[in-house]
Amino acid sequence: MIKTIDLNNSSLIDTKATSSKGNQLKWLIRNNWYKADHMGYEGLCEVVISALLKKSNIQSFVTYAPVRIAFDGKEMNGCYSKNFKKKNESIVTLEHLSKQWLANSFAKELTKYPDVKDKIRHTVDFVEKVTGMKNVGAYLTTMLELDAFFLNEDRHTNNIAFILNDDTGEYRFCPYFDFGLSLMADTSVDFPLGGDIYKMIDKIQAKPFDRDFDVQLDAAQELYGEHLKLTFSNQDIEQTFNYAKEYYNDEIITRAKNLLYYQKHKYMGVTNNS
């Protein structure tokens, strides 16, 4: 059954700086985050990917559920999730850390390093130095592994974040989140429905260290090892999409499924089911 929530009298969260594509509508209501589809089928990606991550070795990730959002005289598909930070905590992005400690955008900071390995190593060293956290290399590599598998094109420096305890000044890792612009979810600009998905894959540009997913993935793994293991089967993929028929048309569902099957075949080393 479709769940609809009326947010007509709710205040929007300003998201102009949090995505490289558009300005997705977001609300924080009673400790739940709600996000409306903006470019295509972002909500579908969030729900499906978080469901598939339940069959992986990832211990900390945000779980999303589907929702229909009524706002400004329209109804939009979307998703919602629990707020993963506590009352005494703040989300601090990599971009914010850079401006605070280096007085420079981290995206610009990365241009100083022509080699992808050097970019990744500099990022890890910088984060560990200013936050005091350990194993940042493993955390970041896992993020890049997830982004490569799910074709997430939106992992810019405002979309890598950490959690700061405002009382103690201690940092911890965010659970893995924000995979909305994965699986060619942008149907309104770059990946229109009806196009050949296998040709359009070459148009997807990774972030933030290189435009090629595998280039930045290989560099990170050479530095910090391989971490991701996915254990979902083809049957799991099919079952994960059962809910989607109430929210999305067959063309969207088929496209997202086919991309998952394609990526599962490509990265057989990180999957151990058939």
Side-chain angles (χ1 to χ4, degrees):
M1 178 181 293
I2 292 179
K3 177 179 179 178
T4 301
I5 183 167
D6 187 343
L7 298 181
N8 278 293
N9 296 318
S10 301
S11 299
L12 284 166
I13 303 295
D14 184 7
T15 60
K16 291 178 181 178
T18 61
S19 176
S20 61
K21 278 195 168 187
N23 190 16
Q24 190 175 18
L25 301 181
K26 295 182 182 181
W27 302 259
L28 180 58
I29 309 294
R30 293 186 295 277
N31 213 39
N32 282 338
W33 278 101
Y34 292 87
K35 302 194 294 186
D37 290 356
H38 174 63
M39 306 295 292
Y41 49 89
E42 296 100 318
L44 175 70
C45 292
E46 299 281 29
V47 173
V48 165
I49 290 171
S50 67
L52 293 176
L53 288 184
K54 293 176 182 177
K55 295 208 169 184
S56 76
N57 64 339
I58 305 299
Q59 299 298 311
S60 181
F61 59 90
V62 176
T63 300
Y64 294 87
V67 70
R68 186 73 57 79
I69 296 169
F71 181 75
D72 196 25
K74 298 180 290 186
E75 286 199 2
M76 301 164 283
N77 288 329
C79 61
Y80 70 98
S81 62
K82 294 291 183 184
N83 185 12
F84 56 76
K85 72 179 183 70
K86 302 170 185 177
K87 288 184 178 179
N88 65 331
E89 293 180 329
S90 302
I91 302 296
V92 182
T93 67
L94 177 57
E95 189 70 10
H96 178 83
L97 280 176
S98 180
K99 290 176 180 177
Q100 178 183 2
W101 290 89
L102 303 175
N104 190 24
S105 162
F106 204 77
K108 292 181 179 178
E109 186 75 12
L110 289 175
T111 63
K112 299 177 182 179
Y113 302 87
D115 183 77
V116 176
K117 275 189 184 180
D118 289 339
K119 291 180 181 181
I120 295 172
R121 186 185 292 109
H122 172 67
T123 302
V124 171
D125 291 347
F126 168 71
V127 173
E128 290 189 344
K129 179 179 179 180
V130 303
T131 66
M133 293 190 298
K134 305 298 183 184
N135 300 316
V136 173
Y139 175 80
L140 185 61
T141 299
T142 303
M143 182 181 292
L144 296 177
E145 289 171 331
L146 289 166
D147 288 344
F149 188 93
F150 293 112
L151 298 169
N152 180 19
E153 59 169 328
D154 203 34
R155 190 66 65 190
H156 49 85
T157 54
N158 264 312
N159 213 349
I160 299 172
F162 311 96
I163 299 174
L164 172 65
N165 185 308
D166 299 322
D167 297 330
T168 67
E170 294 179 330
Y171 284 86
R172 64 182 177 94
F173 293 117
C174 285
Y176 293 105
F177 72 105
D178 214 341
F179 292 91
L181 281 173
S182 301
L183 301 173
M184 294 186 189
D186 169 17
T187 61
S188 61
V189 179
D190 289 328
F191 312 111
L193 291 172
D196 186 325
I197 61 172
Y198 306 108
K199 291 181 179 178
M200 288 193 294
I201 281 179
D202 293 335
K203 290 179 57 180
I204 305 175
Q205 293 187 1
K207 296 179 181 70
F209 308 111
D210 193 87
R211 293 182 178 183
D212 188 302
F213 286 108
D214 291 333
V215 168
Q216 60 179 12
L217 174 60
D218 290 345
Q221 288 179 333
E222 287 181 27
L223 288 168
Y224 304 107
E226 299 179 16
H227 297 275
L228 176 64
K229 197 67 180 177
L230 301 170
T231 60
F232 58 81
S233 66
N234 290 349
Q235 184 178 6
D236 293 325
I237 293 175
E238 291 294 328
Q239 291 177 347
T240 300
F241 281 88
N242 284 343
Y243 92 92
K245 296 177 182 178
E246 294 185 329
Y247 291 86
Y248 299 93
N249 63 44
D250 289 342
E251 186 174 13
I252 287 174
I253 294 171
T254 299
R255 174 158 118 167
K257 280 184 185 179
N258 286 342
L259 284 166
L260 281 170
Y261 288 130
Y262 181 85
Q263 292 298 96
K264 188 169 180 289
H265 177 75
K266 177 180 178 181
Y267 294 104
M268 290 181 68
V270 299
T271 59
N272 61 7
N273 279 341
S274 60

